[in-house]
Amino acid sequence: MNPNLPRWCVLIPCLNEQVAIRGVVESVLALGAPVIVVDDGSDDRTPEILATLPVTVLRHGQRRGKGQALRDGFREALRQGYEAVLTMDGDGQHLAADIPRIVAAAVAYPGQLVIGARLLDKAQQPKARRRANAFADWGISWGCGQPVADTQSGQRWYPRAALDLVDLPAQNFVFEAAILIAASRELGMGIVSVPIASRYPPGARPSHLRPVRDTLRITLYTIARVLHYGRVLDSYRRSHTAPRVIDGTPENSRPLAPLPGTR
């Protein structure tokens, strides 16, 4: 164990992931990482599968949204004494094989938020999803006041200071945007990205994100935060420089793009 690494765990929010959840969890356990799973009211075989695995499981009796699943997972991680959390989705889109590179980036850039950014094999993404993600990156980066590669990725390293933002008043998919913005603006936290592949496994269930409703909610929230923090044009200029992307190899987490100072 790297002495510079805080005590951490993997957090997996999930909803109706009977096809992929066992493989996702077992691949993380094979790395020796402790796992917390928050089941957001699944009505398929997901609870039955999770009951057979050596992980902490929190279960919502009814669906409360990804934001609340993450919020409850953060609280449980803090209760168990963890000082950082690495999140990943339960549908197989994120691989445990990328975790060592993300963790290495966290060691190289302590106290910063690390994103597994889907910058590789982007042709795998449906065109509509690619355009929506590009729009989100443009807007949420503005909200953050710093450039962020792949603001929509759910594979992230949250240091302790970010976990303390658990009570942000944002729900569902807005919560993930809110925590990026608050970490950047309220805490002065840097955000770096490690390239991962875009993956859409065959037979995977459709995304739970509702494109029109959820994109509108995220957009309205982001606009409100941009106006709240002021210096709108300055924030725009700072947010649309090169995003911070690093190699992420355990031996040498070298920068692949300019690393501007924390905004």
Side-chain angles (χ1 to χ4, degrees), residues 11-25 27-28 37-38 42 44 46 50 66 87-96 118 129 152-155 173 196-209:
L11 169 61
I12 305 174
C14 71
L15 169 61
N16 289 343
E17 300 294 6
Q18 64 180 11
V19 173
I21 192 64
R22 180 180 295 279
V24 171
V25 171
S27 65
V28 176
V37 180
V38 181
S42 295
D44 64 355
T46 298
L50 291 174
K66 189 177 184 183
T87 61
M88 59 191 294
D89 295 341
D91 61 359
Q93 184 176 160
H94 302 139
L95 295 186
R118 296 162 297 178
R129 178 68 62 83
Q152 300 302 288
S153 174
Q155 192 166 33
F173 291 97
I196 64 172
S198 298
R199 305 182 186 93
Y200 291 85
R205 56 112 179 110
S207 173
H208 294 306
L209 184 142

Side-chain angles (χ1 to χ4, degrees), residues 10-225:
V10 172
L11 169 61
I12 305 174
C14 71
L15 169 61
N16 289 343
E17 300 294 6
Q18 64 180 11
V19 173
I21 192 64
R22 180 180 295 279
V24 171
V25 171
E26 289 181 342
S27 65
V28 176
L29 292 174
L31 296 176
V35 177
I36 297 172
V37 180
V38 181
D39 176 10
D40 189 34
S42 295
D43 53 19
D44 64 355
R45 293 183 56 251
T46 298
E48 176 185 336
I49 294 168
L50 291 174
T52 69
L53 297 170
V55 299
T56 298
V57 179
L58 306 181
R59 177 166 169 76
H60 293 162
Q62 59 185 8
R63 297 178 188 179
R64 303 181 65 188
K66 189 177 184 183
Q68 190 60 44
L70 288 169
R71 186 176 284 113
D72 290 344
F74 287 175
R75 288 174 176 147
E76 178 63 19
L78 291 172
R79 189 190 71 78
Q80 292 189 27
Y82 294 108
E83 299 172 308
V85 165
L86 193 154
T87 61
M88 59 191 294
D89 295 341
D91 61 359
Q93 184 176 160
H94 302 139
L95 295 186
D98 290 321
I99 289 177
R101 296 170 55 239
I102 294 171
V103 171
V107 172
Y109 299 91
Q112 301 197 36
L113 201 153
V114 182
I115 297 177
R118 296 162 297 178
L119 302 176
L120 309 176
D121 301 329
K122 293 191 75 170
Q124 298 291 323
Q125 292 184 346
K127 290 183 179 180
R129 178 68 62 83
R130 198 183 316 165
R131 288 193 292 268
N133 287 347
F135 175 74
D137 291 348
W138 177 83
I140 294 172
S141 291
W142 193 353
C144 291
Q146 65 174 318
V148 183
D150 199 358
T151 59
Q152 300 302 288
S153 174
Q155 192 166 33
R156 302 177 179 181
W157 172 277
Y158 291 99
R160 173 57 194 262
L163 297 181
D164 288 337
L165 297 170
V166 64
D167 292 319
L168 281 171
Q171 302 301 323
N172 298 305
F173 291 97
V174 179
F175 181 78
E176 290 180 294
I179 204 165
L180 290 179
I181 294 170
S184 299
R185 296 294 197 127
E186 304 292 339
L187 305 178
M189 185 176 292
I191 300 175
V192 299
S193 296
V194 173
I196 64 172
S198 298
R199 305 182 186 93
Y200 291 85
R205 56 112 179 110
S207 173
H208 294 306
L209 184 142
R210 298 182 182 180
V212 176
R213 184 197 68 178
D214 292 323
T215 299
L216 179 61
R217 287 176 174 175
I218 293 169
T219 300
L220 292 176
Y221 180 89
T222 302
I223 291 172
R225 300 317 290 168

Side-chain angles (χ1 to χ4, degrees), residues 226-244:
V226 169
L227 296 176
H228 170 79
Y229 291 113
R231 303 184 65 185
V232 172
L233 293 179
D234 182 56
S235 295
Y236 181 84
R237 285 192 294 268
R238 288 188 283 112
S239 67
H240 290 82
T241 56
R244 303 195 294 173

